[in-house]
Amino acid sequence: MGSTAAAEEDARVAKRARLAPPAGDADLISGLDDDVLLRVLGLVGDARDAARTGALSRRWLGLWTRAPALRFASQPGGFWRAAPASAASLERYAASVDAALARRARSGCAIERLSIAYAAGSEHYPVEQPSFADAAELWIPCPRDTETERILEQLMPASVRAARGWIGYAFRHGVKSFDLDLQLPLVLPNFLRERDGVEEVELDDELPSAVRLETMRLALGGAQLRLPAAMTFASLTNLSLERIRIAAGGAALLGHLVSSATCPRLQKLRVRWIYLPAFHEEMAIEADVLSELWMEDVRILMSLKLRTPRLRVLHIYKCSHVALRISAPRLEELGIIFRPACPPRWLEIDVDLPCVRSLKICLWSHLSRLSGDREAENDKYMLLLRQCSSLTCLQVFLRGAKASKKDVDMIKSRVPHLPHITSLAVNVSCSFKRHGYGASVASLLTRFSNLRRLSLHLPFFDELFYNLPAGLDLLCHHRYHWKSNEISMAHLQEVELTGLTGTDCEVWFMKTMLASAKGLFKVAISFNPYCWQHQGKMDAFERMLLDEGMWTSHRDTHMLTCLRESIPAYITCEM
């Protein structure tokens, strides 16, 4: 009996020896603990590739079915216009994802995080930008294009069916984090067109309750979403809704969906590129624990009312609201930028905002006889400035260049002196001329006397599109822009300039700043990478800064940084 057991053990040892790789080619990864291997599989970019690891060895066979995170990502199919089979490609992609999810469901192992992304490959698809780099030029869908619409009409039914199935899977199988991103070509007429009778993505009472769902992002490529009348998300803390057309009557339902009655634990909410077809709809958000709210390009909404007692971050950009009412006494970071020349008729903030330290607004610098709405819009922003009594950091998106001598300066006449602000960032709109923004920026700088940090961001001006091939005119005849005795930079310590093209007015601005900023510690300059004429001006900037007491400089192709030898105490403390 003992000899038989010993023989069987010897046979097992011999078999393992035959299967083991040579000593020099040892498979060290396969020898790791299951938890480590599952962590490795969780980092694989596509779950279908993770499933293929089963071909490596028995050690990996079926292991992917226990990975806590699954990500599916399509490969963009190139130029989508020339691909009438894009709908078939989407269906094939959906079928492969469905097959992998079905295998995972049969394994009995829950998915913690599920991410599904499909890109149709449209060159018109909005590119992600740094948040609000220029509030005047945020995403706009493509203009009318018959061929584009035809392809989109083919894609939309397949995408809606796929989205329904994937949302249902996430709800039924207890997924904690769900991210669905459908990147379809967004065509303006199609995005806004009435779609009665077409297929919709539904969140309805027939779906099981998503009791474990904590994070959800639905980016539906312009598909229509029908919201539930009575569905709760007891565990949801982070919600993002993007590129969606909400069915008629959905404004009130959307407000209810994200309020405490439905999402009692919701802390972060992002709503981007949402179209509400019924103009007279109102939305009320009453969320007791909501701490961050971002709303970008939400059209069209008659009234938005926020009652968010714990809200700390609020950003509203390019939204269409006739009335905006805010009750958020604990706000610390606020950004509100209306559609150009379309401020709400009523802006109400029920209490002062004593906790706000950072504010982002838009200001029109000049008023012409043809732009009466600019004055009303500036008044709305002045209300915000007055109510943020503890404000220290201000970011301004500057519009409204001076076009004629009759244009009225609205900065000096409307913006109060703001000595409590120590950090200012000015984003110049691309509608300005390369040599014409100076008067507006100079006028704005007269409002501040205690700045420690100053950032000036110049855009890729519209005229550069036409002038680059012929070469740029660097000569400027507006030296007087920077001669105002009201500009004080005595406390300035850090300066950042971006998007420079090497014009004389940029050099004159630097000279004016250096004349009064004797405590300047750091200057960082970056030139527009599409302009080659700045090389000589970079030498001039560097000589100017070194002559003014800077000790060291560092140069790259388009960047120059100059520093003093000693570090101010405030920087040492912050580091």
Side-chain angles (χ1 to χ4, degrees):
M1 190 76 173
S3 59
T4 303
E8 291 177 352
E9 178 63 23
D10 291 341
R12 284 195 292 270
V13 171
K15 184 176 181 180
R16 283 197 295 269
R18 290 194 303 271
L19 295 176
D25 300 321
D27 183 2
L28 300 179
I29 295 179
S30 295
L32 296 174
D33 184 79
D34 278 5
D35 291 339
V36 177
L37 295 183
L38 290 174
R39 186 70 177 267
V40 171
L41 288 173
L43 300 175
V44 176
D46 195 301
R48 291 165 296 180
D49 293 331
R52 296 186 184 104
T53 59
L56 297 176
S57 68
R58 291 183 181 178
R59 178 73 175 85
W60 291 87
L61 188 62
L63 192 62
W64 75 275
T65 61
R66 295 161 51 198
L70 292 182
R71 292 191 297 273
F72 298 89
S74 69
Q75 298 298 322
F79 197 74
W80 63 270
R81 285 177 185 270
S86 290
S89 175
L90 172 55
E91 291 175 349
R92 288 194 298 271
Y93 171 75
S96 66
V97 173
D98 291 343
L101 291 177
R103 289 179 59 191
R104 180 57 183 260
R106 290 194 294 270
S107 73
C109 296
I111 303 175
E112 298 289 325
R113 301 181 300 279
L114 175 61
S115 174
I116 304 174
Y118 177 82
S122 169
E123 82 281 13
H124 292 302
Y125 194 77
V127 178
E128 291 293 334
Q129 307 173 26
S131 292
F132 319 115
D134 189 338
E137 285 83 34
L138 290 179
W139 166 79
I140 298 175
C142 315
R144 188 176 189 90
D145 185 317
T146 304
E147 179 64 13
T148 301
E149 291 188 52
R150 185 184 66 81
I151 294 175
L152 181 59
E153 291 296 339
Q154 293 179 354
L155 286 169
M156 190 60 72
S159 66
V160 168
R161 289 193 296 272
R164 284 176 178 170
W166 294 330
I167 293 173
Y169 183 95
F171 281 39
R172 287 192 300 272
H173 291 85
V175 173
K176 286 188 176 181
S177 175
F178 179 54
D179 188 333
L180 175 58
D181 186 5
L182 298 179
Q183 299 182 12
L184 307 180
L186 298 181
V187 186
L188 184 59
N190 196 295
F191 190 57
L192 307 185
R193 180 189 303 163
E194 291 294 336
R195 295 182 179 175
D196 292 337
V198 302
E199 291 184 288
E200 298 175 315
V201 179
E202 302 106 347
L203 293 178
D204 54 34
D205 298 330
E206 295 182 2
L207 289 172
S209 178
V211 292
R212 300 181 71 232
L213 191 63
E214 297 176 357
T215 300
M216 180 167 67
R217 175 177 177 243
L218 297 181
L220 301 182
Q224 183 159 294
L225 176 67
R226 184 166 295 280
L227 297 171
M231 176 182 285
T232 59
F233 295 86
S235 301
L236 195 64
T237 61
N238 192 330
L239 174 65
S240 181
L241 301 174
E242 306 173 26
R243 303 190 295 275
I244 295 173
R245 175 190 169 95
I246 302 294
L253 291 176
L254 180 56
H256 177 70
L257 176 67
V258 299
S259 294
S260 294
T262 303
C263 295
R265 299 180 61 190
L266 188 64
Q267 298 178 21
K268 296 182 180 181
L269 172 64
R270 180 181 291 267
V271 185
R272 311 174 69 190
W273 305 323
I274 301 296
Y275 182 72
L276 298 155
F279 177 74
H280 295 289
E281 295 191 20
E282 299 182 355
M283 183 188 301
I285 299 178
E286 299 187 4
D288 294 334
V289 300
L290 189 68
S291 62
E292 294 186 19
L293 172 59
W294 298 73
M295 298 187 72
E296 304 173 39
D297 217 325
V298 177
R299 321 181 203 183
I300 302 172
L301 195 61
M302 173 65 76
S303 171
L304 174 63
K305 183 178 181 180
L306 303 178
R307 193 198 65 77
T308 49
R310 297 189 185 180
L311 194 66
R312 298 186 182 277
V313 178
L314 173 62
H315 290 267
I316 299 178
Y317 292 93
K318 284 194 68 177
C319 298
S320 301
H321 308 323
V322 175
L324 176 60
R325 298 176 176 88
I326 300 174
S327 175
R330 296 190 186 181
L331 271 181
E332 298 175 2
E333 180 181 326
L334 175 62
I336 296 184
I337 295 183
F338 311 121
R339 284 191 163 278
C342 294
R345 295 177 188 174
W346 298 277
L347 173 61
E348 297 180 10
I349 301 177
D350 63 351
V351 295
D352 285 341
L353 303 173
C355 300
V356 172
R357 300 289 188 272
S358 176
L359 176 65
K360 297 180 183 180
I361 59 173
C362 172
L363 287 176
W364 293 93
S365 66
H366 287 83
L367 175 67
S368 69
R369 60 185 180 85
L370 300 177
S371 55
D373 290 338
R374 296 180 180 180
E375 197 168 12
E377 187 169 345
N378 270 16
D379 288 342
K380 299 297 190 298
Y381 294 122
M382 292 308 99
L383 172 64
L384 294 175
L385 281 173
R386 288 193 297 270
Q387 296 196 267
C388 299
S389 56
S390 300
L391 186 64
T392 59
C393 300
L394 177 64
Q395 186 170 172
V396 174
F397 297 92
L398 194 60
R399 301 183 184 134
K402 185 176 182 179
S404 70
K405 294 182 178 180
K406 295 183 179 180
D407 290 353
V408 179
D409 185 329
M410 291 196 297
I411 299 293
K412 289 186 178 181
S413 63
R414 296 295 180 119
V415 180
H417 285 278
L418 301 165
H420 53 287
I421 292 178
T422 58
S423 178
L424 172 66
V426 182
N427 301 269
V428 177
S429 171
C430 65
S431 60
F432 281 87
K433 301 294 184 181
R434 289 175 62 237
H435 299 281
Y437 64 88
S440 301
V441 174
S443 181
L444 183 62
L445 290 177
T446 64
R447 307 294 90 190
F448 307 90
S449 59
N450 201 27
L451 289 181
R452 267 64 170 175
R453 298 177 178 86
L454 173 63
S455 299
L456 176 62
H457 304 295
L458 303 181
F460 192 87
F461 293 100
D462 290 342
E463 62 182 293
L464 290 178
F465 285 104
Y466 309 103
N467 296 340
L468 275 178
L472 298 176
D473 179 15
L474 303 181
L475 300 178
C476 178
H477 305 287
H478 300 100
R479 184 189 298 266
Y480 57 85
H481 282 170
W482 308 109
K483 290 300 183 181
S484 174
N485 294 326
E486 299 177 58
I487 298 178
S488 174
M489 300 186 183
H491 303 283
L492 199 61
Q493 295 172 333
E494 290 187 43
V495 172
E496 179 188 20
L497 307 175
T498 66
L500 274 61
T501 57
T503 60
D504 283 347
C505 49
E506 295 166 358
V507 177
W508 292 333
F509 167 71
M510 181 64 74
K511 288 181 178 179
T512 301
M513 181 181 60
L514 292 174
S516 61
K518 299 304 182 181
L520 198 60
F521 162 70
K522 178 179 179 180
V523 178
I525 300 172
S526 65
F527 288 84
N528 191 311
Y530 297 102
C531 305
W532 54 268
Q533 294 95 333
H534 70 267
Q535 294 295 337
K537 291 298 177 76
M538 186 182 287
D539 295 335
F541 273 107
E542 188 172 26
R543 287 194 302 269
M544 189 190 318
L545 290 167
L546 293 177
D547 290 344
E548 288 293 331
M550 295 292 176
W551 285 80
T552 61
S553 63
H554 173 73
R555 291 176 60 164
D556 291 323
T557 305
H558 299 281
M559 299 182 67
L560 169 66
T561 303
C562 292
L563 297 169
R564 288 190 188 273
E565 186 178 43
S566 59
I567 300 178
Y570 83 96
I571 293 182
T572 305
C573 294
E574 290 183 357
M575 293 174 63

